[in-house]
Amino acid sequence: MKRIWAVVLAVVALGAVALGATRIKAGFIYVGPIGDYGWTHAHDVGRRIVDEKYDWLETVYVESVPEGEVETYIDLLIRQGCNVIFTTSFGFMDGTLAAAQRYPNVIFAHCSGFKRWANMATYMADFYQVYYLNGLMAGALTKTGKIGYVAAFPIPEVKRHISAFAIGAREVNPRAEVHVRWIYEWYNPAAAKEATEALIAEGCDVFAFTEDSPTVVQVAAEKGLPSFGHYSPMYDFAPDHVVSGQLVHWEKIYEDFLVKVHKGIYTTKNLAHVDYWWLLAQGAVEVGAKPGMVINPKYEAFLKNYVINHPVFGRISVYDLVFIRLNQMADPGITFDPFQGPIYDRKGRLVVPAGMWMSYDALITMEWAAAGIVGPWPGEP
Amino acid sequence: MRRLGPLVFEPRLVPSRLAVLGVSLAAVLFALLLASAVFYGYGRNPWQAYAQIGRGLFGTWPSFSEVLRRAIPLILCGVGLTLAFRARFWNIGAEGQLLAGAVAATGVALFLPVPEGWRLPLMFLLGFLAGGVWAVIPALLRVKLAVNDVISTLMLNYVMAYIVEWLVHGPWKGPTMRGFAYTDAFPLSARLSYLPGTRVHWLTLVLGIAAALVVTGLLARTRLGYEVRVVGQSPEAARYAGINFTAVFALVMLLSGGLAGLAGVGEVAGIHWRLRSPGHISMGYGYTAIIVAWLARGSPLTAVLTALLFGLIFAAGDYMKTALGLPFQITGVFNGLVLFCLISFDLLMFWRVRLARKEEAWTGSTGSSAR
């Protein structure tokens, strides 16, 4: 008899828990195809990780959504029962805001934008610190002093990354140049290939890039030249030539956000000031050729033997410098930032005064090019 | 009469309207049948899937309105293309002409100091002219320099796409967009209103249907329409009759491109409220409109119906991606299958097929037995 009561109580208790817990159905709207091996792929990896972790969570996604169509897709997802919507392109901003105002009982989060509402938060995982660390390595690796950078669009995000990369390269090698080619596409392997080949012809011998395919890595590796992977782990595409790279962990943001929604911390009333700007310290981004491999072992010896005279640390190997800087930025009490003044742009103007760091607003609107960058820079102040 | 195996093909000189309609419907149904394989491949029962799509699209007015909204640019571009195709001018450039209209509309919306009430009418007027002028260029190239119209119209699409890209990255980049490549948002006076509860910018829809009526009248009842038909059907006769080719092609393309330009105005003033990357302004509407016009067989009014069919396919694609979780390529697969079946079924429109009677000889045709 006691046993039966125990079972009944257990069932009732389970039922109560099930009823009490809010089930979340989260819809993800992607601008690209999930097979792009870049931006959208990374968001989808994050989605799947969180989906598998929590049984109160169900997720659905739509890929390759044109920017003007975002409201249509939000409508369709909400009709399917989604109560949280993530939109992952800057161009979705106004559509997401309009939808947030039309659906006050649904929670929205928009990636990379700046407009918020009572039920609409914003979030971003940014790479500029990681590009700086990659720049330190690239500065040591270049023999010609010319580093190639294949860039997507001349927008502040990409400009910030190239400048951080150039600042890193020059910290190690004050004569290093970063040669930039714009391809005006987020995903275009053919254009990326042409740009890489043109940069090789110009004498560049180390490569970094912003494009959602491993093309630059592959083209450089064919010529035996080192490169830095972008967005996804690209080590496997050229294990002898991928030195390091930028990796993202969107799941850290998605998990934090959804758990807070589930616990009732985030509601449809209090998101107007919720803005994730997550960097190394929050674990949203990682430096490495693949997860857990900060520097490809093939390049360890070289970087350990490459000793420079550093203004702060004195004689130090680039290998050690990378890890010191990484720890300074990954530590929750961040003690270093790549854009730490004094910084002069390539026209010689002081853009960050001595002793200052750039504000968040200055970072996300930055247009200037750091010293050492060579090539056209549309919109340069 | 031709024979192929046990089948006999008899030519229909002029296919009846019924034959055209029947064969086209059969082709679409056959395409849907082929597409079921895609559903099977993704582990879904195709009949349930189609039923779900049907309920999803026709269930409520807001969801059905999406079909209308997607059809708007296709109607305008499609009607314009039927006119060009009637003159045998192969305008593959509706995409670029649409973008030209979008550019002109954006210029008026953001930079032209005009009274608020004049803004939308001026956007449509200049959008029409911009699309038209962009289309007149290949017309003149063909008449004066014998430049192939397919190539020139197609290439001008890329030129216009790069102009849009340059504008949003360069001179027109919006100060409020924090460096991203978009213009600022249009003022309220430059935005089109919607039918209640939908995103159907009804003014552009009305313009599209009016355009279909006007072009029909023009073809049937005006001197220009007569000349267009003669030029299209028999250039030799046209030359003999002294028809001015330059004027006919220039006027036809001004109208054809102008209508595509109106579609561009509708997209930026109705949907985007700004200029942005060309691939996001138009989902290949200018290219899909070629199928729309081709299917309509030169009839502007039929083009309204075929545009609605493709609006339906686009809207169904949106629905399939979300409700059925199919990959994004699904709309393209459907478009491709429908087009493929329609072209293949053309055979049936111009040839009646029946089983051969015993007494009919194997080589009943004048040519070889194989088509």
Side-chain angles (χ1 to χ4, degrees), chain A residues 184-260:
Chain A
Y184 289 90
E185 298 266 12
W186 289 114
Y187 178 82
N188 188 336
K193 182 168 188 283
E194 278 173 27
T196 313
E197 283 166 351
L199 287 165
I200 291 173
E202 241 171 74
C204 297
D205 61 351
V206 181
F207 290 87
F209 62 98
T210 310
E211 193 259 346
D212 287 344
S213 81
T215 308
V216 176
V217 164
Q218 289 166 323
V219 175
E222 278 171 24
K223 292 279 194 302
L225 300 173
S227 59
F228 294 85
H230 176 64
Y231 235 96
S232 293
M234 293 191 173
Y235 173 81
D236 292 336
F237 289 96
D240 290 341
H241 300 98
V242 176
V243 184
S244 181
Q246 313 98 41
L247 304 169
V248 71
H249 295 285
W250 288 109
E251 64 273 13
K252 300 278 183 193
I253 293 179
Y254 288 134
E255 178 172 15
D256 187 84
F257 189 86
L258 287 165
V259 165
K260 283 177 176 159

Side-chain angles (χ1 to χ4, degrees), chain B residues 1-2 363-370:
Chain B
M1 192 180 78
R2 293 178 180 190
T363 48
S365 69
T366 45
S368 69
S369 60

Side-chain angles (χ1 to χ4, degrees), chain B residues 143-159:
Chain B
V143 181
K144 300 292 181 199
L145 300 170
V147 176
N148 183 305
D149 43 351
V150 175
I151 307 288
S152 58
T153 51
L154 178 66
M155 288 301 141
L156 282 175
N157 289 343
Y158 297 103
V159 175

Side-chain angles (χ1 to χ4, degrees), chain A residues 67-69 72-73 80 94, chain B residues 69 199 274 280 318 321:
Chain A
E67 290 177 349
E69 298 299 308
T72 302
Y73 283 92
Q80 273 185 64
D94 287 346
Chain B
R69 181 176 71 83
R199 294 172 74 210
R274 57 164 45 87
H280 289 275
D318 294 349
K321 283 198 277 183

Side-chain angles (χ1 to χ4, degrees), chain B residues 109-110 116-117 119-120 123 185-193 269-270 273:
Chain B
L110 292 176
E116 297 301 277
R119 205 173 287 278
L120 270 172
M123 283 163 73
F186 289 2
L188 289 177
S189 62
R191 301 182 186 186
L192 292 167
S193 58
W273 301 335

